[in-house]
Amino acid sequence: MDLNEQYEAYRNQSGDELWETLLSLTAEQKRSGEMSSGKMEEIYAMLSPMLSDAQRRRMREIIDRLNAPM
């Protein structure tokens, strides 16, 4: 699925729906070994220089919640 298709698939979801989708996808990727806490930290380190302070704080909050036991 390319970026435009992903955007179309999720653009009408509410914040709560997006959060549930993110939790589900993350859990699936953790089970399959595609995602780990270390991988999330790598993504954060790569993206954080391009983000505002508020965006960086929000991304940190999201990563911390995703890394919490499910």
Side-chain angles (χ1 to χ4, degrees), residues 1 3 6 12 14 19 24 32 36-39 44-45 47-49 53-55 60 62-64 67:
M1 185 181 297
L3 191 56
Q6 288 178 352
N12 292 320
S14 70
W19 180 248
S24 175
S32 71
S36 66
S37 297
K39 182 69 174 174
Y44 179 79
L47 294 178
S48 65
D53 287 340
Q55 290 170 322
R60 169 64 22 213
I62 290 168
I63 289 171
D64 290 346
N67 282 331

Side-chain angles (χ1 to χ4, degrees), residues 28-44:
E28 183 180 311
Q29 289 179 338
K30 282 182 175 182
R31 279 191 300 276
S32 71
E34 294 176 61
M35 184 59 69
S36 66
S37 297
K39 182 69 174 174
M40 284 189 243
E41 293 303 325
E42 288 176 27
I43 294 168
Y44 179 79

